Amino acid sequence: AQTVTQSQPEMSVQEAETVTLSCTYDTSESDYYLFWYKQPPSRQMILVIRQEAYKQQNATENRFSVNFQKAAKSFSLKISDSQLGDAAMYFCAYSRLVSFTGTASKLTFGTGTRLQVTL
Amino acid sequence: DARVTQTPRHKVTEMGQEVTMRCQPILGHNTVFWYRQTMMQGLELLAYFRNRAPLDDSGMPKDRFSAEMPDATLATLKIQPSEPRDSAVYFCASSSVVDQETQYFGPGTRLLVL
């Protein structure tokens, strides 16, 4: 079974600074997807970024980027130029590769990291 | 702007009452998931459907929960009778044929059972 571990329950960053959230996972599969979801106080789960394991290039989305280390099974999220609106719970999630297999993916979530952004 | 929608957003009910939550997946998405989020258990997958057919509902308490997808634009989750331990946020998510791995979540239904 796959597991996802987020070892930082809480993090804090000053506005305009950079912060990195850590995530490690365990799987015996070679093809899979990894995601970061953001959950602000509104409770909405917002997809921030995703990474396909077969891609060596790290994914980026504006101020958000990942550091994907497949051998180490590590998938960290870097937020640059932090803004007050970035304050939220961040969940790391894993999915098997299932497209075109006739099955559906089950997301395995970590326990989350609460990010505070201070002035 | 394609989004998953859920109704109601908030529900307060008394123990023993029936609760029905509704979800409209993103148009064209063929897989729908129901999750429950609590402080103690985190995010739990309750059930999911592919092309309206249930694929897996092993995460759902069968005695009181039921999930259906009467058509491609509507999924429902019912709790009958509701209990205080069912208080949680219930999320619906959907994914598309060409990108099954990426799930897009609705805003959730916050349920409080008194």
Side-chain angles (χ1 to χ4, degrees):
Chain A
Q2 294 82 23
T3 59
V4 177
T5 303
Q6 293 180 251
S7 58
Q8 306 155 315
E10 290 190 8
M11 294 281 285
S12 183
V13 63
Q14 280 194 321
E15 200 177 16
E17 296 296 308
T18 296
V19 64
T20 299
L21 309 184
S22 301
C23 173
T24 58
Y25 59 95
D26 190 25
T27 182
S28 58
E29 299 175 342
S30 59
D31 291 322
Y32 48 87
Y33 285 68
L34 295 163
F35 305 87
W36 280 97
Y37 283 89
K38 169 186 177 181
Q39 188 176 41
S42 67
R43 296 295 199 114
Q44 171 86 50
M45 291 287 284
I46 302 165
L47 177 64
V48 175
I49 199 165
R50 74 173 208 169
Q51 173 80 43
E52 295 92 329
Y54 63 86
K55 289 187 178 178
Q56 293 189 338
Q57 188 172 5
N58 289 323
T60 62
E61 285 288 344
N62 300 314
R63 297 182 295 107
F64 298 87
S65 62
V66 298
N67 184 4
F68 173 50
Q69 302 288 327
K70 191 172 184 179
K73 295 181 181 174
S74 170
F75 183 60
S76 60
L77 175 70
K78 185 170 84 170
I79 306 174
S80 304
D81 186 25
S82 297
Q83 300 174 0
L84 292 176
D86 296 333
M89 279 288 279
Y90 286 82
F91 291 94
C92 179
Y94 168 101
S95 171
R96 293 173 48 234
L97 180 65
V98 294
S99 284
F100 310 111
T101 65
T103 63
S105 71
K106 295 183 184 183
L107 283 175
T108 302
F109 287 92
T111 51
T113 296
R114 184 172 302 280
L115 178 66
Q116 282 188 320
V117 181
T118 59
L119 293 171
Chain B
D1 186 21
R3 299 185 185 194
V4 176
T5 58
Q6 289 185 248
T7 56
R9 294 291 309 277
H10 303 272
K11 177 73 175 180
V12 180
T13 191
E14 293 189 345
M15 184 174 62
Q17 296 298 304
E18 178 179 298
V19 175
T20 298
M21 291 169 271
R22 294 177 175 81
C23 166
Q24 182 173 11
I26 293 172
L27 189 64
H29 281 196
N30 72 329
T31 307
V32 174
F33 304 82
W34 283 105
Y35 290 88
R36 176 171 64 183
Q37 185 180 34
T38 61
M39 288 292 292
M40 296 300 294
Q41 301 295 330
L43 279 153
E44 304 173 274
L45 178 64
L46 297 176
Y48 59 97
F49 294 76
R50 163 77 57 84
N51 296 324
R52 298 174 54 198
L55 283 189
D56 188 345
D57 61 1
S58 59
M60 208 163 63
K62 301 290 192 307
D63 56 339
R64 299 181 300 105
F65 284 61
S66 63
E68 294 180 341
M69 201 159 175
D71 64 59
T73 63
L74 177 65
T76 62
L77 180 66
K78 288 187 182 180
I79 309 174
Q80 169 62 24
S82 57
E83 297 181 1
R85 60 181 167 148
D86 300 328
S87 298
V89 181
Y90 291 81
F91 289 102
C92 173
S94 70
S95 64
S96 69
V97 174
V98 297
D99 185 8
Q100 290 286 341
E101 292 82 4
T102 302
Q103 297 181 25
Y104 296 89
F105 283 73
T109 294
R110 188 175 298 197
L111 174 64
L112 177 61
V113 183
L114 302 173

